[in-house]
Amino acid sequence: MQDLEQLVFFLYPVPEHNTIQEIKKLIAEEIKSSYLNKLSSGKFSDQIFNLLYFLRERVNDPDTLERIDFMVRVTRGYSDKTPPLRKKIVKDLIVQIKNYEVEKQKTTNTTKKEKTITIEPAITLKDPLSNIKGVGPYKAKALSRINLYSIEDLLYFFPRYYIDRTHIKEVRTLEVGKDQTVSAVLINWERNIEKRGLNIIKGLFKDGSGYIYGVWFNQPYIKKSIPVNSTVLLSGKVERFGSQLQITSPEWELMGEEEPLEHGRIVPVYGLTSGLSQRFLRNLTHKYLSLTEKKIEDYLPDNQKERLQLINLSQALKDMHFPVNLVDQKQARFRLAFEELFRLQLKIMFRKEEIKTSSALPLNTTGLLFRPFLNNLPFTLTIDQLKCIEDIKIDLAKPVPMNRLLHGEVGSGKTVVALAATMIAIENCVQVAFMAPTEVLALQHYEVIRELLPESISCSLLIGSTPAKERRIILENLLSGSISLLIGTHALIQEDVEFPKLGLVIIDEQHRFGVTQRWKIKTKGENPHLLIISATPIPRTLALTLYGDLEISSLKSLPLDRGKIITIWVGTESRNKVYGFLREQVKRGRQAFVVCPTIEDSPQMEVKAVTSLFENLKEGTLSDLRLTMIHGRMPTRQVGKIMEDFKKGDIDVLVSTSIIEVGVDVKNATFLVVEDAQRFGLSQLHQLRGRVRRSINDAYCFLISDPSSEDAIKRLKVISSTLDGFLIAEEDLKIRGSGEFLGLKQHGISELKIANPIQDLHILEIAKKEVTDILKKDPNLVYEENRILKKLLLEDMEKIDLARI
Ligand code: ADP
Ligand code: MG
């Protein structure tokens, strides 16, 4: 009964707070489901978190902030709770939301009165998309899937590429060998052709002047997307076969009624998600570009713009979306890339200065733990490892905080180096925070590290799903100083986690965290020493760009006891052979991973994909083996348990999403199959491959894929031809932007949205020189001419990406 009452409460809308409305809707759904479904409750809490963080970023009032933080706290670990506990949490949330709304109502009432004198509130860049005209809740949700929440996000969501429709040609006038666009009607689809594992579809198109074929590989869905008799714009290189004209893998788009943004001009093409169309996004972006034109503040000083011939920011934004010609677009991109690199450099170099002049507690080795730790390791350290440990030892002994990046080849043994640093810190009676990007990884580190640590050292694990009671005890022990080493996830950055004597912070797999987060954890102590570990080798130029404030240690060589690894890319027609071979290897006592791609945007789809692969294998080819599946939607403890069983050898084959991408370390696993390998990035494939390169045994990595794009083919070729992670990283950067390379884009915290430090090296150099010159003259940015820069810098440095914490 009471639940019904609650439902009623959620039915009355409060239009000015769409985010709250969204939260209410989620809660209503959750109430309807009677809190029973574990999977949907996981999704529920994730979405609530996102919305709360979204909200949090947009309020200033400390009471409201506190209220939101409270909601975050009570929702933590929601899906691991029993249904009655979940019910209680939901109740708490409802109370908070009611109060929130009451407060809001009060404040808007007062501001409304004031507003009667002022003019209609104008649009600002920070306005949430869910509040603006032309975007309903459904569209707002779709937009949020590609991390677009505000008008500003929209303006900075740039096209993936452009189609030049300034000249739409007639079929009759097409020139063979050139990139061109025609507008034609689909006459019919020919029968599908299967050839060497390729599924080929071919459509016949015509305009008033002639006929042309469009041909696609392995994209059978296109047949459904282009109905017969529809008018389509086809763009691409025109080829001739006998008397037939053809465009292979053309860019295509259905033409509806006249759309001025899509005709006779250079048309932007965005990376979309389900529920959004190119047309919708084009129109929306176009509209808000002009509505906000006057609101766009240009931070770069005029003299600098003149000197470097940079165009205005608002012009640049316009030209990125709707350039009149591609030269303008290039100029716009240059301006934006410059600004991005300039701001980043400013931040980094300012920070570096700051660190140099701050003081830290020097940590000298006492011989108590550090030496015995090194002497008792079950293996001999590599020369690279020894060198890195030495670097760290010297840094720690200095009275300024260490600020070091440790990166290197997958499997080169970075964890041990970090542990050596930990020993030095604990010898000196300070605390150590060790932060990993995922719960599974934190758990695994915890287990491995506990084995290696002497009994006398107290070490705990704190993750999002740590039960509240346990969490409280940990926080108490941390505060009393009895915990020396705390391992965990972002959970370590939360407000109430207090270290009285934090001396060293270690961040593992840095590419999952933003630059700002590494500063945030540091504020938990007074200038603690900082060691950052990157899972991926980083090309030098990128290291200098993104980590310019850090000293760098590299691990290039692998421990000597590593076997060979053979990487083979095969088409889907060989799938059975691959699994036959896998079975043979398992019969010889080996273990295997089978990985299928993470499906973008949809955790449910992801679970479905891995489940169906698992079931197929279990019922089919691998029915006689011990198979288990894991994916990211399972509770950490369950994943941890499965990993443990796998390590013990109780499981032969682990079917998984890319959850095992980083850190997982099982020596007897020497066989990896990657399904749909074209969907993984290069560095990601290299990481995955690292999972089976952990022992003296030779290993196999099979990539199953029928790629349809050239980039994908390039990636598969690179990965099967080299084992050199540095080379792979460099290639990866050439193929993709840096944001994606760093794994940041998918989390919406890319520091670099436009610039690609490999391709834009020349811009980076200009930016660096600018920053150096400015800081040389005015190291604290106190001159009037640098006032705006200072403001910008402080803003940048404070921006903490809450969405990820
Ligand atoms: P990564 O650099 O990818 O993080 P890890 O630190 O997880 O690699 O180390 C990979 C594996 O190699 C671990 O099982 C670790 O114990 C082992 N290892 C580390 N250093 C050595 C070494 N010098 N000789 C042999 N094995 C080592
Ligand atoms: Mg590691």
Side-chain angles (χ1 to χ4, degrees):
M1 225 36 229
Q2 200 192 355
D3 286 8
L4 262 182
E5 261 172 46
Q6 293 182 346
L7 262 181
V8 172
F9 161 68
F10 283 105
L11 292 178
Y12 88 90
V14 180
E16 53 273 60
H17 308 304
N18 272 343
T19 311
I20 283 291
Q21 205 50 34
E22 201 58 21
I23 293 179
K24 284 162 78 175
K25 238 189 277 160
L26 287 172
I27 293 182
E29 270 166 36
E30 185 65 11
I31 294 174
K32 276 191 220 150
S33 82
S34 311
Y35 321 97
L36 290 174
N37 187 335
K38 170 109 197 151
L39 205 68
S40 73
S41 72
K43 204 175 128 207
F44 166 75
S45 59
D46 279 359
Q47 289 178 335
I48 294 273
F49 275 133
N50 284 342
L51 289 166
L52 287 174
Y53 283 127
F54 173 74
L55 206 59
R56 194 182 189 283
E57 266 189 282
R58 281 149 184 84
V59 298
N60 305 318
D61 160 45
D63 288 344
T64 316
L65 272 179
E66 202 164 287
R67 190 177 301 290
I68 295 174
D69 286 345
F70 176 82
M71 292 196 257
V72 169
R73 270 202 302 281
V74 297
T75 320
R76 188 181 300 121
Y78 180 81
S79 62
D80 288 339
K81 304 264 159 60
T82 57
L85 279 175
R86 287 186 198 154
K87 186 169 169 181
K88 180 171 173 314
I89 293 175
V90 168
K91 248 190 192 161
D92 286 347
L93 282 177
I94 292 175
V95 171
Q96 294 303 322
I97 288 171
K98 269 187 181 158
N99 292 343
Y100 176 94
E101 290 193 323
V102 171
E103 276 163 25
K104 260 273 122 66
Q105 207 65 44
K106 273 190 225 146
T107 51
T108 43
N109 282 348
T110 49
T111 48
K112 250 184 210 153
K113 264 180 221 143
E114 285 159 22
K115 266 185 200 137
T116 47
I117 342 169
T118 58
I119 322 159
E120 196 43 34
I123 296 173
T124 76
L125 289 176
K126 300 281 178 222
D127 283 356
L129 291 173
S130 52
N131 276 359
I132 65 177
K133 265 220 180 97
V135 180
Y138 176 74
K139 288 282 190 235
K141 202 163 170 193
L143 289 163
S144 75
R145 275 202 292 272
I146 42 178
N147 289 316
L148 302 183
Y149 297 97
S150 66
I151 294 181
E152 186 170 27
D153 294 342
L154 185 72
L155 302 191
Y156 279 87
F157 184 68
F158 297 122
R160 283 243 294 268
Y161 55 90
Y162 306 83
I163 307 176
D164 186 348
R165 288 190 191 148
T166 41
H167 308 286
I168 294 181
K169 290 208 152 185
E170 295 197 309
V171 171
R172 189 169 46 89
T173 61
L174 286 173
E175 292 167 72
V176 174
K178 283 196 181 162
D179 265 323
Q180 291 148 99
T181 302
V182 285
S183 163
V185 177
L186 176 67
I187 307 287
N188 65 345
W189 285 109
E190 303 204 338
R191 227 153 32 94
N192 289 16
I193 312 166
E194 290 282 341
K195 217 184 203 170
R196 279 181 288 124
L198 286 180
N199 178 325
I200 305 173
I201 61 165
K202 194 167 173 182
L204 179 62
F205 295 82
K206 81 164 201 193
D207 70 358
S209 72
Y211 292 88
I212 185 164
Y213 284 97
V215 175
W216 287 268
F217 299 114
N218 291 331
Q219 298 174 68
Y221 59 87
I222 287 182
K223 265 191 155 172
K224 287 205 197 91
S225 318
I226 309 181
V228 168
N229 279 332
S230 50
T231 307
V232 185
L233 279 183
L234 298 173
S235 308
K237 189 148 124 205
V238 177
E239 299 160 299
R240 181 192 292 283
F241 297 99
S243 63
Q244 296 178 359
L245 289 177
Q246 175 176 319
I247 305 184
T248 309
S249 309
E251 297 301 337
W252 62 272
E253 201 168 309
L254 286 179
M255 293 313 300
E257 60 293 9
E258 279 289 308
E259 276 287 342
L261 287 178
E262 297 174 342
H263 279 287
R265 63 178 307 148
I266 292 173
V267 180
V269 181
Y270 299 94
L272 293 181
T273 179
S274 57
L276 292 177
S277 68
Q278 293 293 348
R279 182 162 301 152
F280 171 78
L281 212 62
R282 281 172 197 152
N283 286 330
L284 193 70
T285 309
H286 192 264
K287 178 169 166 194
Y288 283 93
L289 267 171
S290 54
L291 282 177
T292 55
E293 196 177 343
K294 302 254 150 42
K295 298 280 159 58
I296 294 169
E297 228 178 315
D298 197 334
Y299 289 111
L300 298 183
D302 287 340
N303 66 23
Q304 185 183 47
K305 272 187 290 191
E306 251 161 61
R307 204 159 15 90
L308 301 173
Q309 298 185 343
L310 300 169
I311 59 173
N312 273 334
L313 181 56
S314 67
Q315 187 63 41
L317 289 174
K318 259 201 254 165
D319 287 351
M320 276 305 277
H321 292 281
F322 300 99
V324 173
N325 57 53
L326 290 175
V327 176
D328 284 358
Q329 187 272 339
K330 278 217 175 74
Q331 267 190 359
R333 187 182 174 282
F334 185 92
R335 143 84 217 212
L336 292 164
F338 172 82
E339 178 171 336
E340 211 172 55
L341 291 167
F342 176 73
R343 285 170 77 155
L344 188 65
Q345 286 306 311
L346 190 65
K347 191 159 69 162
I348 286 172
M349 284 160 111
F350 195 80
R351 183 77 195 167
K352 192 168 186 173
E353 266 321 292
E354 218 177 54
I355 290 166
K356 260 200 256 164
T357 53
S358 62
S359 64
L361 187 68
L363 305 172
N364 285 297
T365 48
T366 64
L368 220 57
L369 291 171
F370 175 68
R371 275 293 146 210
F373 171 77
L374 293 188
N375 293 339
N376 291 332
L377 283 174
F379 41 72
T380 324
L381 292 169
T382 63
I383 301 204
D384 279 359
Q385 283 173 319
L386 287 170
K387 167 92 182 46
C388 291
I389 292 175
E390 195 55 32
D391 287 345
I392 292 170
K393 204 174 112 194
I394 293 170
D395 278 1
L396 290 177
K398 289 183 191 161
V400 289
M402 170 168 81
N403 210 30
R404 186 169 283 280
L405 171 74
L406 172 64
H407 72 144
E409 191 55 85
V410 182
S412 57
K414 295 180 282 276
T415 319
V416 173
V417 175
L419 280 184
T422 306
M423 293 304 139
I424 299 178
I426 300 178
E427 268 181 353
N428 283 273
C429 303
V430 293
Q431 292 173 305
V432 181
F434 195 131
M435 191 157 89
T438 66
E439 297 208 338
V440 175
L441 206 53
L443 187 70
Q444 203 186 326
H445 272 323
Y446 177 66
E447 272 156 13
V448 170
I449 289 173
R450 248 201 340 203
E451 297 238 315
L452 289 170
L453 279 184
E455 292 263 328
S456 57
I457 296 177
S458 142
C459 158
S460 291
L461 176 74
L462 181 67
I463 52 184
S465 60
T466 304
K469 199 159 134 208
E470 202 180 313
R471 182 169 190 274
R472 206 164 47 235
I473 298 173
I474 291 176
L475 295 191
E476 272 164 23
N477 290 337
L478 194 63
L479 203 57
S480 74
S482 67
I483 290 178
S484 304
L485 170 59
L486 187 62
I487 299 171
T489 50
H490 313 77
L492 301 192
I493 334 182
Q494 279 154 352
E495 294 290 303
D496 56 344
V497 180
E498 286 176 60
F499 296 81
K501 286 185 304 181
L502 184 59
L504 171 65
V505 171
I506 298 170
I507 305 181
D508 194 13
E509 318 294 10
Q510 157 74 15
H511 74 294
R512 297 292 179 101
F513 297 105
V515 172
T516 0
Q517 276 167 324
R518 73 178 181 240
W519 295 342
K520 170 100 181 177
I521 176 86
K522 274 198 64 164
T523 61
K524 296 271 173 197
E526 275 171 45
N527 290 327
H529 296 280
L530 176 64
L531 179 65
I532 284 168
I533 308 174
S534 170
T536 346
I538 300 168
R540 227 182 81 82
T541 45
L542 185 61
L544 291 176
T545 316
L546 282 183
Y547 305 105
D549 57 333
L550 305 175
E551 307 299 322
I552 296 176
S553 295
S554 316
L555 289 173
K556 294 220 156 94
S557 55
L558 290 187
L560 285 176
D561 63 348
R562 297 292 151 88
K564 279 205 301 284
I565 179 161
I566 297 162
T567 307
I568 302 171
W569 160 27
V570 298
T572 41
E573 76 282 357
S574 308
R575 178 181 279 124
N576 282 342
K577 268 195 221 146
V578 170
Y579 285 111
F581 189 41
L582 180 154
R583 194 171 58 232
E584 213 172 274
Q585 289 287 311
V586 170
K587 294 280 176 211
R588 290 189 189 173
R590 299 270 171 265
Q591 287 163 284
F593 295 108
V594 178
V595 177
C596 72
T598 299
I599 290 151
E600 222 180 316
D601 301 335
S602 169
Q604 276 138 329
M605 288 283 287
E606 192 176 319
V607 172
K608 217 160 112 193
V610 69
T611 311
S612 77
L613 176 65
F614 173 71
E615 274 160 12
N616 282 343
L617 291 174
K618 196 161 175 61
E619 275 152 31
T621 351
L622 304 182
S623 57
D624 51 339
L625 304 183
R626 294 169 300 173
L627 259 65
T628 304
M629 129 179 111
I630 55 170
H631 54 72
R633 313 302 295 178
M634 288 177 167
T636 307
R637 246 162 298 154
Q638 192 184 347
V639 174
K641 170 82 174 59
I642 293 173
M643 288 309 305
E644 214 171 280
D645 291 348
F646 188 63
K647 232 178 217 178
K648 273 194 286 188
D650 294 345
I651 295 168
D652 297 322
V653 182
L654 204 56
V655 183
S656 147
T657 51
S658 56
I659 183 176
I660 61 150
E661 178 192 341
V662 284
V664 168
D665 188 26
V666 178
K667 291 204 165 21
N668 190 45
T670 55
F671 204 100
L672 169 70
V673 182
V674 182
E675 291 272 358
D676 280 332
Q678 77 281 357
R679 301 184 63 150
F680 291 91
L682 253 182
S683 297
Q684 217 183 353
L685 286 173
H686 188 57
Q687 273 296 331
L688 282 169
R689 180 164 66 178
R691 300 311 115 215
V692 293
R693 205 186 177 191
R694 305 250 139 194
S695 71
I696 195 149
N697 302 310
D698 288 347
Y700 296 93
C701 165
F702 282 92
L703 308 171
I704 302 183
S705 172
D706 298 329
S708 56
S709 82
E710 265 172 40
D711 275 357
I713 295 173
K714 226 186 276 171
R715 287 201 297 271
L716 291 164
K717 278 189 182 153
V718 172
I719 192 82
S720 20
S721 65
T722 180
L723 283 170
D724 181 340
F726 283 87
L727 194 86
I728 287 172
E730 192 109 8
E731 287 298 321
D732 201 10
L733 257 175
K734 276 189 206 153
I735 299 175
R736 316 193 285 165
S738 55
E740 258 171 276
F741 163 73
L742 290 166
L744 296 178
K745 206 166 249 174
Q746 69 209 76
H747 305 299
I749 53 166
S750 171
E751 305 271 339
L752 295 175
K753 287 201 168 89
I754 302 182
N756 176 330
I758 295 268
Q759 278 155 13
D760 299 326
L761 193 61
H762 61 295
I763 310 182
L764 172 63
E765 267 153 15
I766 300 171
K768 243 186 170 156
K769 181 164 180 319
E770 287 287 311
V771 173
T772 321
D773 288 351
I774 291 172
L775 288 181
K776 208 192 262 165
K777 273 192 242 149
D778 182 12
N780 292 314
L781 299 179
V782 288
Y783 293 175
E784 178 56 25
E785 65 190 50
N786 294 328
R787 199 177 46 87
I788 297 185
L789 286 185
K790 177 88 173 221
K791 182 173 155 233
L792 193 66
L793 176 70
L794 293 178
E795 231 171 64
D796 280 354
M797 296 191 36
E798 261 166 29
K799 213 184 290 161
I800 289 161
D801 209 306
L802 286 160
R804 286 282 299 143
I805 295 173

